[in-house]
Amino acid sequence: MPRPARPALLLAGLLAAAGTAHFVAPRRFDATIPRALPGSPRAWTQASGVAELALAAGLAFPGTRRASARATALFFAAVFPANVKMAYDWRDRSTAARTVAYARLPLQIPLILWARNATRDED
């Protein structure tokens, strides 16, 4: 694989795995959906899984890679408020659950940067 495509394809793999997990084990994702969102948590879990799979597919193909990388960065930024809400909602849960919820918050920054820079070397 040419070096320039590697960051985008690795990100595509991460998104494909995460998107698939939304359908294989949806209950753990349902629990992270903020209660303030309309509709059922399962619908949001499935919608985010579809979005992750679509972004992964876009990153996999050179013709859609640049636009998909930008959309992926926006997706990671868009889910950040949900991660903040989850951390707040989980403040009374076990130490392990709180650790997971709080660890997700700073993780969004490198994910956004990875997506933003995934196609930088392809110019």
Side-chain angles (χ1 to χ4, degrees):
M1 142 183 14
R3 173 71 181 119
R6 178 170 273 147
L9 294 177
L10 289 172
L11 184 56
L14 175 77
L15 285 163
T20 301
H22 281 69
F23 294 96
V24 173
R27 291 181 71 178
R28 67 183 178 152
F29 294 98
D30 293 347
T32 67
I33 304 299
R35 291 181 207 100
L37 290 175
S40 72
R42 183 61 50 91
W44 286 100
T45 294
Q46 292 172 340
S48 62
V50 167
E52 288 171 335
L53 291 170
L55 292 167
L59 287 165
F61 297 101
T64 55
R65 189 168 292 145
R66 188 170 307 282
S68 295
R70 289 184 186 127
T72 299
L74 291 172
F75 174 80
F76 287 145
V79 299
F80 183 74
N83 292 343
V84 170
K85 178 72 166 103
M86 182 184 101
Y88 179 79
D89 286 347
W90 288 20
R91 68 190 179 282
D92 295 326
R93 292 194 180 190
S94 70
T95 301
R98 283 194 317 270
T99 300
V100 167
Y102 296 142
R104 290 180 67 161
L105 299 176
L107 181 61
Q108 292 303 114
I109 295 167
L111 288 173
I112 291 167
L113 293 174
W114 183 7
R116 197 183 91 197
N117 295 322
T119 61
R120 183 175 51 177
D121 293 339
E122 293 187 34
D123 294 330

